[in-house]
Amino acid sequence: MPALDVASFDAALKQLYDDSRVRSVVYKNNPFHAMVPKFTRFEGRNMPLVLTYGNPQGRSAAFATAQTNKTAGLYTDFLLTRVKDYGLTSIELEAIQASAGDRGAFMRASTTEIDGILNQVARSLSIAEYRNGGGAIGQISAGSDVTTATITLAKPTDATNFEAGMVLEVSVDDGTGGGGVRAGTVTLDSVNRENGDLTATAAWNAGIGAVATGDFIFVEDDYNSKVVGLDGWLPAAPPGATPFFGVDRSKDPVRLGGVRHDGSGQTIEEALIDGAAKVNAIGGGMPDYVFMHPRNLRDLVKLLDSRIEYQSVKPQGLPEDAEIGFRAVVLQADHGLLRVIPDRNAIVDVAFMLQLDTWVCASLGPAPKILEGLGQRFIWDANADSVEIRTGYYAQVGCMAPGYNGRIQLPPTTGT
């Protein structure tokens, strides 16, 4: 029987990894990314999101006064630009040839590797969709000893953002301050996901001489290079005049930067209900979904107890028989139902209350996807007996009406 050649391998890969398969791999553990509306034809240099944040003001009970006081409406546009993110893996040709007589066994082996790198890129995008574009995925706690191999994260829940084998660098800022990264890197050896410990292959200050407690942590070369997610569009403090996709949001911090509600001193249920009322009253929005960390949802479930109500929700654009879906806790707000969904990529103790139809993940083709060129989905490794599979995306997150959405500071989560 002839060996499986690379042309046959490429054909099998295309057949196995159609859009449905890729979405199944990517969506199932990333609820916000699965649910957010998609636009996959983000072509050209940029993508303007045009919005009105003020009506014409030529109005009065007296005609002459209305005529005198005429003003134009207030309009602006966020000019979205794409960012890039890549995930690469290789499969040895010996494995291809050794399994040529049993394609089923080979494809199971290769799909594990390809599914893995797709998942890694999907997590990269899904984590970034909750953050501010700076690229930080954790911060070194004040009590850490950087002269050892093990540091502890300031937020132990951020440990889910890290994987053994990652090459990491650090900065004094979160990627949005413009200070750049400190010289050097460390390679992650292990992760303690319960207490937030990160252990490198050597002392942190051996790889990064100037590393300090309080530093923010990045995957190498991610500094200021990620999509701008919910934390950027709906910041914790009212936005200032610094241009945000070309817009001075200080002109109207609510309509251009979202509604903020501090519910840290309330119960989690009160924080969500009051936050929803504020988004509706001040911003004019009709939020329908809330995304939060699983630990915070756990506190909500405990509080609601026998009053709890669930609803199954599915991402848009999937067939009715698709097995991808999420179970949401339903709350009744003044304006209607809120569907609360847990997402491990979320920021702990923060809930993002969204009118989901005002959001978009805009990309050049699906995000993520298997990158394809010259009619093939793999290339030869230059100096190895293997083929390389490339995955990635070119994308950005955008919001057509930030004021219709809210950021709710929740009471600190309890337990572990």
Side-chain angles (χ1 to χ4, degrees), residues 27-99:
Y27 284 3
K28 59 186 178 182
N29 293 318
N30 302 299
F32 175 72
H33 180 65
M35 297 295 295
V36 68
K38 311 295 190 300
F39 176 72
T40 59
R41 297 186 61 188
F42 186 179
E43 300 164 351
R45 180 179 300 175
N46 55 44
M47 176 178 168
L49 296 181
V50 182
L51 69 153
T52 302
Y53 68 99
N55 296 319
Q57 294 302 307
R59 196 217 61 77
S60 173
F63 176 83
T65 301
Q67 191 173 51
T68 299
N69 294 340
K70 285 188 300 184
T71 65
L74 298 176
Y75 310 95
T76 192
D77 57 349
F78 296 105
L79 291 178
L80 300 190
T81 52
R82 295 181 297 270
V83 298
K84 304 174 183 179
D85 200 2
Y86 302 102
L88 280 65
T89 189
S90 293
I91 303 173
E92 288 188 345
L93 290 184
E94 181 181 3
I96 297 176
Q97 294 179 5
S99 57

Side-chain angles (χ1 to χ4, degrees), residues 140-152 170 186 202-215:
I140 301 175
S141 72
S144 292
D145 183 357
V146 297
T147 65
T148 68
T150 300
I151 60 93
T152 301
V170 302
V186 298
W204 280 70
N205 69 339
I208 307 171
V211 64
T213 58
D215 278 357

Side-chain angles (χ1 to χ4, degrees), residues 10-306:
D10 190 60
L13 187 61
K14 288 182 179 180
Q15 182 179 9
L16 205 62
Y17 284 89
D18 60 13
D19 287 343
S20 177
R21 165 75 178 182
V22 173
R23 283 188 298 187
S24 178
V25 171
V26 167
Y27 284 3
K28 59 186 178 182
N29 293 318
N30 302 299
F32 175 72
H33 180 65
M35 297 295 295
V36 68
K38 311 295 190 300
F39 176 72
T40 59
R41 297 186 61 188
F42 186 179
E43 300 164 351
R45 180 179 300 175
N46 55 44
M47 176 178 168
L49 296 181
V50 182
L51 69 153
T52 302
Y53 68 99
N55 296 319
Q57 294 302 307
R59 196 217 61 77
S60 173
F63 176 83
T65 301
Q67 191 173 51
T68 299
N69 294 340
K70 285 188 300 184
T71 65
L74 298 176
Y75 310 95
T76 192
D77 57 349
F78 296 105
L79 291 178
L80 300 190
T81 52
R82 295 181 297 270
V83 298
K84 304 174 183 179
D85 200 2
Y86 302 102
L88 280 65
T89 189
S90 293
I91 303 173
E92 288 188 345
L93 290 184
E94 181 181 3
I96 297 176
Q97 294 179 5
S99 57
D102 184 358
R103 290 195 182 190
F106 168 67
M107 294 312 295
R108 283 196 298 272
S110 67
T111 55
T112 299
E113 189 73 6
I114 299 169
D115 284 1
I117 195 62
L118 274 171
N119 266 316
Q120 189 63 21
V121 177
R123 285 298 313 285
S124 173
L125 174 56
S126 299
I127 293 166
E129 285 173 330
Y130 278 97
R131 286 160 174 76
N132 62 9
I137 55 175
Q139 186 178 16
I140 301 175
S141 72
S144 292
D145 183 357
V146 297
T147 65
T148 68
T150 300
I151 60 93
T152 301
L153 292 166
K155 291 183 178 179
T157 50
D158 285 341
T160 60
N161 301 338
F162 294 87
E163 301 288 342
M166 280 183 169
V167 179
L168 304 174
E169 54 192 8
V170 302
S171 172
V172 70
D173 67 77
D174 67 358
T176 62
V181 297
R182 300 189 190 276
T185 63
V186 298
T187 299
L188 200 56
D189 183 66
S190 64
V191 182
N192 186 318
R193 302 187 187 280
E194 291 187 306
N195 61 15
D197 286 346
L198 303 182
T199 300
T201 55
W204 280 70
N205 69 339
I208 307 171
V211 64
T213 58
D215 278 357
F216 292 86
I217 309 172
F218 307 77
V219 172
E220 187 177 15
D221 281 339
D222 274 1
Y223 182 92
N224 196 30
S225 297
K226 305 292 288 184
V227 301
V228 179
L230 300 174
D231 187 43
W233 284 93
L234 308 172
T242 302
F244 180 81
F245 291 114
V247 175
D248 175 2
R249 295 189 290 174
S250 68
K251 301 290 187 182
D252 195 325
V254 166
R255 290 183 176 173
L256 300 175
V259 177
R260 279 151 287 280
H261 175 69
D262 183 1
S264 58
Q266 301 178 287
T267 69
I268 188 169
E269 183 181 14
E270 290 170 340
L272 293 174
I273 298 301
D274 288 355
K278 194 172 180 180
V279 172
N280 183 245
I282 297 178
M286 304 284 282
D288 45 7
Y289 285 93
V290 179
F291 294 89
M292 65 172 62
H293 195 275
R295 291 193 181 187
N296 295 113
L297 186 79
R298 175 198 60 194
D299 292 345
L300 177 62
V301 168
K302 288 180 178 179
L303 181 65
L304 293 175
D305 196 13
S306 61

Side-chain angles (χ1 to χ4, degrees), residues 315-385:
Q316 296 179 358
L318 294 181
E320 287 298 320
D321 59 352
E323 296 181 0
I324 303 170
F326 308 99
R327 190 168 76 155
V329 172
V330 179
L331 291 180
Q332 179 67 55
D334 291 347
H335 69 277
L337 295 181
L338 291 171
R339 298 159 185 86
V340 187
I341 300 177
D343 191 333
R344 62 177 174 156
N345 304 306
I347 302 171
V348 70
D349 297 339
V350 174
F352 289 105
M353 185 172 288
L354 310 179
Q355 183 172 317
L356 204 56
D357 64 5
T358 66
W359 293 87
V360 65
C361 178
S363 56
L364 196 57
K369 62 182 178 179
I370 297 177
L371 302 178
E372 186 172 0
L374 301 177
Q376 293 183 325
R377 291 187 172 190
F378 73 92
I379 63 170
W380 292 99
D381 279 323
N383 299 306
D385 184 23

